[in-house]
Amino acid sequence: MTRTQAGTAPRPGHRATRREWIGLAVLALPALLASLELTVTHLALPAIGRDLRATGAQLLWIVDVYAFLLAGSLITMGTLGDRIGRRRLLMIGAAAYGVASVLAAYSPSAETLIVIRALLGVAGSTLMPSVLSLTAAMFLDPRERTIAVGMVIAGVSGGTAIGPLVGGWLLDRFWWGSVFLLGVPVMVLLLVVGPRLLPEHRAPAARRLDLISAALSLAAVLPVVYGLKQIATGTSGRLPVLSIVAGLAFAAVFVRRQQVQADPLIDLRLFANRAFSTSAGALALGIFVLWGANYAIAQYLQLVYGLSPLRAGLWTAPSAAGVIAGSILASRIVRLVSPGVVIGVGLALAAAGFWTLTQVGGAGGLTVLVTGSVVVSAGLGPMMALATAMIVAAAPSERAGAASAICSTAPQLGGALGIAILGSAITAVYRDEMAGALPSGVPTEAASVARDSLGGAVAVAGRLSEPLGSELLGVARAAFIQGFHLSAAISGVVMAGMAVVVVVLLRHIRAGS
């Protein structure tokens, strides 16, 4: 049975059937794949560099071009789904993603892989807006919708958890291209069962897509994300700043155009809704601190503790489980407690987790790190599920795709900003500590490399004789831990402040609504 309709407004008592719940399981597959793909690509980089003789710059572009095109295309794809049909967009995106995945797996050169990764980013931008808008359309009862959105968020977190395990297993047994083939069976299954289980929904009497606004949205997001990533990697000079300024200028033009368009790409009036704007802000800031923490924790595990990428992934898996548990439990708790209070308490819990992370490096070993990261993720899980549900529910039915795109774009921008700002804070403290703590006897050129980053210090220490190498390594790791502590403290303050703001601004939303 195929339904083409636009009504996605919440309808209390309109219970979903078995068909909708099975459809939700289908939608969870691309949600899981969206996060899993990023994880396994990072693990495959060493093998890709060796087999394709890729330079360091090419390896960065293999990762970054996907993220750039994904973030830049989300708004356009979400709005396109409102116009041509959200299931139709999902099917087109799934087919394109599957074909591009096969091409990526058998890329003959680094240049070819970069181009195909760009296509994967565009195809990937169709997934989450379609998944969220279809979920909203299938589950009209507010309580069931919250449960369904929580399960989608759990699927995304599940991809983060199993990515290092699946990717490590494949890379131990097969060639690097096998990690890209992970998406193929998922997309084939989606193409086979999707038309049978997923209803079609589109906005009634939708006009043609505004291509100028679509280009402006891409021109606004891409330079900002690029500039933030350059800052996060320690690139100095004018280019990152000019890139961000250019993106903000295009964003201003984009906003102005949306204000005068009869059928805008993004209806800016959505942000006048307190639940919508507060939820979007909480989602962006929550991912800001989460990605910043994940960035720091990955470096701590591999460069301070000396773990392999696979073993580091095993130690981070419990934190992903925290997000899954928090997002699923939130749908039950919110029946009795106001969503604003649930989110606020969760953010306060995350703040407590960041305080725990400020104690990393002491006698507790990795136990403190894992405990803190699990508490952080368990606190952020309810926010991610409930904020996403409220953003989708606050939008009119004809804007469900665009609202879902905002749900996906806000975390992308917040995460990029978190890595850039919190990563820069760690780097600044590290360099300041290293300026006066370098052991005497380290050659001038080696000292410059060691002062720049912990990764550089680890590489230099391996080439120095003992005990000088160990002494340099100890000083560098201590300097990084100081920066780690500052990053965790900043994140804790941000979460504590956001907890108060959310409780105040969302106090009008009742429990069970």
Side-chain angles (χ1 to χ4, degrees):
M1 180 178 67
T2 301
R3 293 181 293 156
T4 301
Q5 54 187 0
T8 62
R11 300 176 192 171
H14 188 94
R15 311 292 290 183
T17 66
R18 181 181 178 185
R19 179 190 183 90
E20 278 77 30
W21 290 108
I22 297 176
L24 178 64
V26 174
L27 290 176
L29 293 175
L32 182 146
L33 181 67
S35 57
L36 185 147
E37 196 279 340
L38 283 172
T39 308
V40 297
T41 302
H42 281 88
L43 290 175
L45 284 180
I48 292 173
R50 182 179 61 252
D51 290 354
L52 299 185
R53 299 181 180 178
T55 65
Q58 288 174 329
L59 290 175
L60 285 175
W61 275 108
I62 287 170
V63 175
D64 288 344
V65 74
Y66 176 88
F68 292 161
L69 271 296
L70 177 71
S73 305
L74 282 168
I75 291 176
T76 299
M77 291 303 176
T79 306
L80 182 62
D82 289 336
R83 285 160 168 74
I84 70 171
R86 292 141 196 168
R87 186 187 69 186
R88 183 181 181 187
L89 178 67
L90 181 61
M91 295 298 104
I92 293 172
Y97 198 98
V99 171
S101 296
V102 174
L103 294 176
Y106 295 98
S107 294
S109 67
E111 294 83 358
T112 303
L113 183 56
I114 291 170
V115 173
I116 295 172
R117 289 279 294 166
L119 297 177
L120 274 170
V122 176
S125 67
T126 67
L127 301 180
M128 284 308 295
S130 300
V131 166
L132 289 172
S133 56
L134 282 171
T135 300
M138 291 161 58
F139 296 89
L140 301 180
D141 180 78
R143 293 184 179 181
E144 289 188 339
R145 176 178 288 181
T146 302
I147 294 172
V149 170
M151 293 178 69
V152 170
I153 299 300
V156 174
S157 301
T160 304
I162 68 173
L165 310 181
V166 175
W169 185 86
L170 286 173
L171 291 169
D172 280 345
R173 289 162 175 78
F174 306 101
W175 91 115
W176 57 265
S178 62
V179 301
F180 293 113
L181 296 179
L182 276 172
V184 176
V186 173
M187 294 310 172
V188 170
L189 179 61
L190 182 60
L191 289 169
V192 171
V193 303
R196 293 171 172 79
L197 293 173
L198 304 177
E200 182 61 287
H201 287 266
R202 66 171 63 92
R207 301 183 184 183
R208 294 180 62 184
L209 184 69
D210 180 9
L211 296 179
I212 295 177
S213 292
L216 285 171
S217 71
L218 195 66
V221 174
L222 281 182
V224 172
V225 175
Y226 173 78
L228 292 172
K229 281 184 172 288
Q230 290 297 103
I231 292 172
T233 57
T235 301
S236 58
R238 297 180 179 180
L239 181 59
V241 176
L242 290 176
S243 179
I244 294 173
V245 171
L248 293 177
F250 280 116
V253 177
F254 173 80
V255 168
R256 177 58 183 163
R257 183 173 179 83
Q258 303 317 294
Q259 291 173 334
V260 299
Q261 288 288 100
D263 189 19
L265 198 68
I266 291 293
D267 188 353
L268 299 179
R269 292 174 298 180
L270 289 172
F271 289 93
N273 183 308
R274 188 187 300 174
F276 185 95
S277 55
T278 303
S279 297
L283 197 55
L285 280 178
I287 303 302
F288 170 92
V289 298
L290 183 61
W291 283 23
N294 289 343
Y295 172 80
I297 289 171
Q299 291 194 75
Y300 182 90
L301 289 172
Q302 294 185 53
L303 300 178
V304 175
Y305 244 78
L307 300 181
S308 67
L310 179 57
R311 292 190 63 193
L314 291 172
W315 280 99
T316 58
S319 62
V323 176
I324 295 173
S327 58
I328 293 177
L329 288 174
S331 60
R332 299 182 178 274
I333 300 172
V334 80
R335 299 177 185 177
L336 306 174
V337 184
S338 164
V341 173
V342 175
I343 295 176
V345 171
L347 296 179
L349 181 63
F354 280 116
W355 178 86
T356 303
L357 290 178
T358 63
Q359 310 305 306
V360 163
L366 290 182
T367 302
V368 175
L369 181 75
V370 173
T371 301
S373 61
V374 168
V375 172
V376 167
S377 58
L380 291 177
M383 178 278 296
M384 294 166 66
L386 297 180
T388 301
M390 284 192 287
I391 289 173
V392 175
S397 58
E398 66 274 12
R399 296 286 181 184
S404 299
I406 293 173
C407 281
S408 301
T409 304
Q412 289 289 330
L413 292 177
L417 193 61
I419 292 174
I421 292 179
L422 297 175
S424 297
I426 293 174
T427 300
V429 172
Y430 174 84
R431 290 174 179 172
D432 183 66
E433 292 284 328
M434 288 292 286
L438 273 174
S440 59
V442 178
T444 303
E445 185 177 346
S448 177
V449 173
R451 277 195 298 265
D452 188 61
S453 69
L454 177 58
V458 171
V460 167
R463 297 194 296 266
L464 295 176
S465 59
E466 292 297 337
L468 186 59
S470 297
E471 187 178 352
L472 171 62
L473 197 57
V475 169
R477 286 171 170 170
F480 179 86
I481 290 172
Q482 292 300 314
F484 185 99
H485 289 168
L486 176 63
S487 172
I490 293 172
S491 299
V493 171
V494 170
M495 287 296 92
M498 194 64 198
V500 175
V501 171
V502 166
V503 171
V504 172
L505 293 182
L506 297 184
R507 64 184 183 277
H508 64 288
I509 302 180
R510 301 187 307 275
S513 63

